[in-house]
Amino acid sequence: MKKIIIVAGARPNFMKIAPIVRALERSGLFEYRIVHTGQHYDENMSRVFFDELGIPSPHCNLQIGSGSQAVQTAAIMVRFEEVCLQERPDLVVVVGDVNSTIACGLVAKKLGIRLAHVEAGLRSYDRTMPEEINRIATDAIADCFFTTEPDGTENLLREGHDPGAVHFVGHVMIDTLLYQRDRLGPETVSRAALSLKRRIVGTFACMTLHRPANVDSAAALGALLDAVAVLAGIAPVLFPCHPRTKKNIEAFGLMPRFTRDDGVSPVGPGIRLLDPLSYNDFLYLWKDAALVLTDSGGLQEETTALKIPCVTLRDTTERPVTQEIGSNVVVGGDREKILHHGRRALAGTWKESAIPALWDGKAGERIVAILDGLMNGRTTPV
Ligand code: UD1
C-alpha cells in the first residue's frame, strides 16, 4: 500500500486536513501519517482543533514553535527531512500557504518525493505577504494541484503548469464548515459560548485580525479599531483575538478600547475582546452574525459559504470568487469604506450572494479519489 504524509502546522491547516484524513480513513486505500510541525502550539491554537474536528493525534509533532520566518522555516525543514527519511512516503500532501507548507514541500521535492498542494494557485499579487511567497514557491515545485476556485486553476495554467496536474475539487475548508455546522449543539459548543450568544442583544458582528500589516504597528491597529468602534456603537463586535494581536494591543496601550464582558450581563454595543476560540465555539457565534470583519483568508471563504456579509480589512484578496459572488468586499484600512459596508450589513441591506461551484462538502473525497488514480492507477467514482 502506498504511503502518504499529510502535513499540518498552523491553525488554518487543521480544518483543511480534517476532511482529507476522514476520506483517507474511509477509503482504506493508503497508509497515511499526520505530521504536525508545531508552528502553532498553544492549546487553543492547536490541540483543541484536533479534538473538535476529530483528527487523529499526529503520528509525529516536530515541535518547532515560533521564530522569525527563516528560523521557523529552516527548523521545520531540518526535522521534516528526518521524518521523511525514516517514513519513506510515496507522496507528501501540504495544504494552504503557511510556513509549514513551503518548508515541508521543499524537503519532499529535494528527496524526490511526489508533492501535492491543496488550495493551490491562489495569488494575492502582494509579495510583501509571507503567505504569497509560500504559495508561489510551493506551486513552483508541486506535482499535483488541488484548486478551490476557477481563479486558482487559471493562475496555475498561466504559470505554465500541465493542465492534467491541476484539479478543481472545491474546498476542504468548506467540507469542514458544513460538517461541523451540522453537529453544533450543547454537546459540541462550550458553555461559555452558549452563554455569550444567549446574552447578545440584537444583531452583532464578529471580527478577527492577525496580519502583521494590520497588527504590528500601533498606527494601523489603532486606526482600524477606531473605525470598528463606530460600528460597535451600533451593534456588539465579538473579537476573538490571536495571541500575536493580543500582545500588540497590550504593548500599544490599546486595552481601554475594549468593553469587558463580565460573563453574566447582556452584551450590548462595544468591542468585546475574547481569547482565541475553538472552531465550534467561533462558528457557533459567527454563523449568525450580521457582519464579519476580518483579515483572514479562510474566513472570507467561510462567510461566503454561509452567505454572511464579510468586510475584509486587507488591500488584496487571493480569493476573488468571494468578491465576485458578492459576499465579500475588500476595503483595506479605508475608514469610509469600512463604515459604509459595515453599516449596510448591520442594517440588513446587503444583497444576498450565491455559493461558489463545488463548495459542497465533498472536496476531501474528490482529492482522495484523484490520488487513488495518480498513485494506484485506479479510477474511483466520487
Ligand atoms: C500564521 C500564518 C498565517 C495564518 C496564521 C493563522 C505564516 C507565514 N503565517 O501566522 O498565514 O493566517 O498563522 O493563525 O505561516 N503564537 C502564540 N501561540 C501559538 C502560535 C503563535 O502565541 O500557538 C504567537 C507567537 O508570538 C508567534 C506569533 O503568534 O511569534 C506568530 O506566529 P506564527 O506562526 O509565526 O504566525 P501567525 O501570525 O500565527
Side-chain angles (χ1 to χ4, degrees):
M1 202 181 267
K2 294 274 169 48
K3 191 195 271 189
I4 294 178
I5 287 185
I6 180 156
V7 175
R11 186 170 56 176
N13 289 167
F14 308 138
M15 12 313 195
K16 292 172 194 163
I17 69 161
I20 305 174
V21 171
R22 249 193 325 270
L24 282 170
E25 193 62 51
R26 215 174 10 238
S27 76
L29 292 167
F30 296 95
E31 193 182 345
Y32 73 94
R33 300 271 184 274
I34 300 171
V35 174
H36 188 331
T37 65
Q39 178 176 342
H40 284 175
Y41 45 86
D42 283 350
E43 164 99 7
N44 57 9
M45 296 289 284
S46 175
R47 203 181 61 78
V48 72
F49 290 87
F50 278 77
D51 291 349
E52 281 192 347
L53 305 180
I55 309 170
S57 291
H59 298 90
C60 164
N61 189 324
L62 309 181
Q63 298 189 316
I64 297 306
S66 299
S68 69
Q69 296 288 320
V71 165
Q72 193 172 59
T73 309
I76 296 170
M77 288 184 69
V78 171
R79 298 212 194 140
F80 188 62
E81 186 178 55
E82 289 164 15
V83 174
C84 285
L85 289 173
Q86 206 182 329
E87 294 285 348
R88 304 234 157 250
D90 300 287
L91 175 82
V92 168
V93 177
V94 293
V95 299
D97 55 14
V98 302
N99 288 342
S100 303
T101 309
I102 179 60
C104 295
L106 274 172
V107 168
K109 282 317 297 170
K110 292 205 169 187
L111 290 174
I113 302 166
R114 270 177 159 175
L115 177 66
H117 185 203
V118 174
E119 203 189 72
L122 298 180
R123 299 288 179 265
S124 67
Y125 297 99
D126 174 0
R127 291 198 179 198
T128 65
M129 292 175 70
E131 294 83 1
E132 181 72 354
I133 307 301
N134 294 342
R135 290 180 203 114
I136 294 169
T138 305
D139 286 338
I141 57 174
D143 302 289
C144 174
F145 308 87
F146 295 108
T147 62
T148 54
E149 58 169 282
D151 204 71
T153 302
E154 284 160 27
N155 290 334
L156 292 167
L157 298 183
R158 201 176 320 115
E159 289 168 18
H161 291 288
D162 171 8
V166 181
H167 308 276
F168 173 42
V169 290
H171 204 337
V172 282
M173 195 166 210
I174 306 305
D175 291 9
T176 291
L177 174 65
L178 302 179
Y179 185 87
Q180 296 296 125
R181 183 196 55 181
D182 293 346
R183 286 162 181 76
L184 285 182
E187 269 124 58
T188 53
V189 175
S190 75
R191 281 163 64 179
L194 291 167
S195 145
L196 178 64
K197 180 103 165 266
R198 259 198 311 267
R199 290 183 290 114
I200 296 173
V201 184
T203 54
F204 67 100
C206 287
M207 175 165 76
T208 76
L209 274 182
H210 73 283
R211 297 266 160 221
N214 283 336
V215 307
D216 283 2
S217 101
L221 186 53
L224 281 176
L225 291 176
D226 278 348
V228 174
V230 177
L231 299 174
I234 306 171
V237 176
L238 309 181
F239 179 27
C241 193
H242 188 287
R244 168 187 212 121
T245 312
K246 179 85 177 293
K247 275 182 206 154
N248 290 343
I249 286 170
E250 283 164 354
F252 302 151
L254 295 171
M255 263 311 181
R257 310 274 182 116
F258 302 100
T259 309
R260 280 200 180 284
D261 178 34
D262 62 10
V264 282
S265 308
V267 175
I271 311 178
R272 312 279 165 153
L273 193 66
L274 309 171
D275 285 334
L277 294 174
S278 73
Y279 186 87
N280 285 345
D281 282 4
F282 188 39
L283 173 57
Y284 180 66
L285 294 172
W286 73 256
K287 77 180 175 58
D288 295 317
L291 163 69
V292 168
L293 298 144
T294 192
D295 60 6
S296 149
L299 202 46
Q300 294 173 51
E301 300 175 319
E302 292 170 321
T303 47
T304 293
L306 296 192
K307 300 184 178 179
I308 308 279
C310 179
V311 172
T312 295
L313 306 171
R314 284 175 44 190
D315 295 323
T316 55
T317 182
E318 57 288 330
R319 285 135 163 120
V321 76
T322 58
Q323 283 218 90
E324 288 153 15
I325 224 149
S327 59
N328 183 25
V329 290
V330 178
V331 299
D334 186 321
R335 181 185 168 92
E336 289 316 310
K337 288 186 182 163
I338 295 170
L339 296 184
H340 170 71
H341 294 293
R343 286 188 179 118
R344 205 157 64 83
L346 292 176
T349 58
W350 195 294
K351 194 166 158 279
E352 187 172 332
S353 51
I355 294 178
L358 297 190
W359 288 19
D360 59 0
K362 295 185 181 147
E365 287 169 36
R366 292 189 189 100
I367 288 172
V368 171
I370 291 165
L371 291 180
D372 189 30
L374 191 72
M375 310 291 294
N376 300 325
R378 272 195 296 261
T379 317
T380 320
V382 186

